[in-house]
Amino acid sequence: MTERTGRDAIGETPRPTAGDDTAHDAMRHLAGLQPGQEGSLFTSDLTVNEFLLVREAGFRPLGLVLGSSVYHVGLQLGRWSKNQELTKLSQAMYHARELAMTRMEAEAAALGADGVVGVRLDIEFKEFGSDIAEFIAVGTAVKADGADPGPGGTWLNNKGRPFTSDLSGQEFWTLIRAGYAPLDLVMGTCVYHVAHQRLTQVLGNAGRNVEI
C-alpha cells in the first residue's frame, strides 16, 4: 500500500485478455447486465456494515467479480529423505493463483472499476482427482464516487489496473480515512516436503523428552 500523495498511478494498460477463451463467457455475461451504470442492479458479498462503510469511504460497489483456474498439479521427483522445497509444485501454485487473480481483475476492468475489495482466494482439491485443484479469486468491484484520488488523479494502481485488497469493509474505510490506498494483493507460496524420521531415530527417541 502507499500514500495517495506519493502514488504514481500512471503505467501500462490493463493486462490483455484477448485469446483467453475461459474469460469470454464471463465478459459476455457482464456486458449483458450493463454493469456500472448508475441505478443498475449489482451483486456483492459485502455485509451490510461493510457496504455502508465502503460507501462512506467514497466508493460505489459495481458487482461481484470472480476469476477461476482449474489446474493440474503434477508430481515432482526428489530425495524424500531430506527436507526440501518442491519448487515445481510451488511454481504451479503461483501460476494457478496468477491466472485466477488476472481473470478477476479483467472482470473488474470490464466493469470500469477502480479496485476490488474483500478479495478471497480459495483453493479446493477435487474429489475426482487429488492432483486437480481449483483456484478461485472473488471480491467486490468498486468505483470511486466522491473519494479523492490525490495528485495522481486516479485510484488505479501503479500498473494501470484496478487495485485489489483483502481488507474488510471496516479495514478499507480505516485505511482510506488515514490517507492511504491499497495497490495489490500479494502473497507467497511454498510447497515443502518435511522428511519423515527414520525408524532408528524413532526408536532412539522412545521414552525420552526430545524436540522433534
Side-chain angles (χ1 to χ4, degrees):
M1 61 186 65
T2 182
E3 289 190 70
R4 287 179 290 169
T5 55
R7 219 162 35 109
D8 176 14
I10 300 174
E12 63 186 31
T13 56
R15 301 177 195 175
T17 57
D20 187 356
D21 295 334
T22 308
H24 286 172
D25 289 339
M27 294 305 175
R28 284 195 293 268
H29 172 69
L30 291 173
L33 292 176
Q34 296 182 337
Q37 302 296 324
E38 190 70 42
S40 62
L41 297 176
F42 67 91
T43 56
S44 172
D45 63 349
L46 298 175
T47 66
V48 173
N49 288 338
E50 287 180 312
F51 170 77
L52 294 176
L53 285 171
V54 167
R55 290 294 289 129
E56 187 173 329
F59 289 83
R60 175 167 51 90
L62 299 178
L64 196 68
V65 289
L66 178 144
S68 176
S69 171
V70 178
Y71 205 91
H72 174 258
V73 182
L75 299 176
Q76 176 173 326
L77 300 178
R79 295 181 58 189
W80 305 114
S81 60
K82 61 178 291 188
N83 298 325
Q84 60 181 320
E85 181 186 5
L86 306 182
T87 54
K88 291 184 179 179
L89 300 187
S90 291
Q91 289 301 318
M93 293 292 186
Y94 268 116
H95 188 212
R97 182 204 69 191
E98 185 71 10
L99 288 173
M101 290 292 294
T102 299
R103 289 164 182 165
M104 183 192 69
E105 292 172 5
E107 285 199 3
L111 290 174
D114 290 312
V116 185
V117 299
V119 175
R120 301 193 317 273
L121 185 62
D122 297 327
I123 304 174
E124 177 185 346
F125 285 88
K126 300 300 184 182
E127 293 182 0
F128 54 81
S130 59
D131 55 349
I132 304 296
E134 182 177 15
F135 291 72
I136 299 175
V138 60
T140 298
V142 296
K143 179 79 173 176
D145 186 15
D148 180 13
T154 179
W155 284 93
L156 300 179
N157 62 24
N158 54 358
K159 294 183 180 180
R161 297 194 295 266
F163 66 78
T164 55
S165 171
D166 68 341
L167 297 176
S168 67
Q170 292 89 335
E171 292 169 330
F172 180 72
W173 175 85
T174 302
L175 188 74
I176 299 301
R177 289 292 298 269
Y180 291 86
L183 291 178
D184 243 337
L185 182 64
V186 294
M187 65 175 291
T189 300
C190 176
V191 180
Y192 201 87
H193 170 69
V194 179
H196 296 290
Q197 285 190 303
R198 295 189 299 272
L199 179 61
T200 55
Q201 290 176 302
V202 174
L203 294 177
N205 291 333
R208 299 172 54 198
N209 293 326
V210 59
E211 182 179 5
I212 305 300

